[in-house]
Amino acid sequence: MTKTICILLAEGFEESEAIVPADLLKRRGVNIVFASITNVKEIKGTHGFKFIADTTINNIITDDFDVLMLPGGLPGTTNLRDNDDVISLIQQANKHNKIITAICAAPIVLKDAGIADNKRITGY
């Protein structure tokens, strides 16, 4: 069965931490869904590149994906952390035993979502 990865994009995300993994996984046949964490599909990365997400977070449910991915970058990571919908989606994904990945600074979002306790995580 082909897996689906939902990559959450927040204003100021680190472009390489979202696009490079997505590109490599897509080449392996993985379905990639980019989801903006706001109602607006256009998101600007930390270096000013503009991206158009496939959907918005309010259209995502945990049954839609196998893996939830959070790219780092600043202020993208803090925008993820400060968004109640993101925290709720992470908690639901964790409750449903989904794989949740967080790159670079993004593990702070897992901590604030309350799912990092008793787990070994690394953040930069």
Side-chain angles (χ1 to χ4, degrees):
M1 178 164 86
T2 302
K3 300 282 184 192
T4 297
I5 297 180
C6 177
I7 302 175
L8 297 182
L9 299 180
E11 193 78 12
F13 72 96
E14 172 58 51
E15 294 95 339
S16 66
E17 294 174 10
I19 304 306
V20 172
D23 177 55
L24 295 171
L25 292 163
K26 185 82 167 174
R27 293 171 192 236
R28 298 285 301 165
V30 176
N31 293 323
I32 304 294
V33 175
F34 288 105
S36 167
I37 68 164
T38 68
N39 298 354
V40 180
K41 288 185 180 182
E42 184 176 293
I43 307 107
K44 192 185 316 180
T46 193
H47 296 102
F49 295 103
K50 292 180 182 177
F51 293 87
I52 306 296
D54 300 306
T55 190
T56 60
I57 194 167
N58 56 358
N59 293 320
I60 297 291
I61 58 172
T62 54
D63 289 341
D64 292 341
F65 60 86
D66 303 291
V67 178
L68 183 63
M69 184 178 132
L70 288 69
L74 291 173
T77 296
T78 53
N79 289 333
L80 288 169
R81 181 197 64 198
D82 296 342
N83 184 297
D84 292 338
D85 292 331
V86 170
I87 298 301
S88 178
L89 185 62
I90 291 169
Q91 291 168 340
Q92 285 299 312
N94 187 61
K95 182 179 172 183
H96 289 95
N97 297 313
K98 302 290 183 168
I99 295 170
I100 304 169
T101 68
I103 300 174
C104 199
I108 68 167
V109 183
L110 304 181
K111 178 184 174 295
D112 285 7
I115 68 162
D117 296 342
N118 301 315
K119 294 181 180 145
R120 181 182 285 187
I121 61 173
T122 301
Y124 176 77

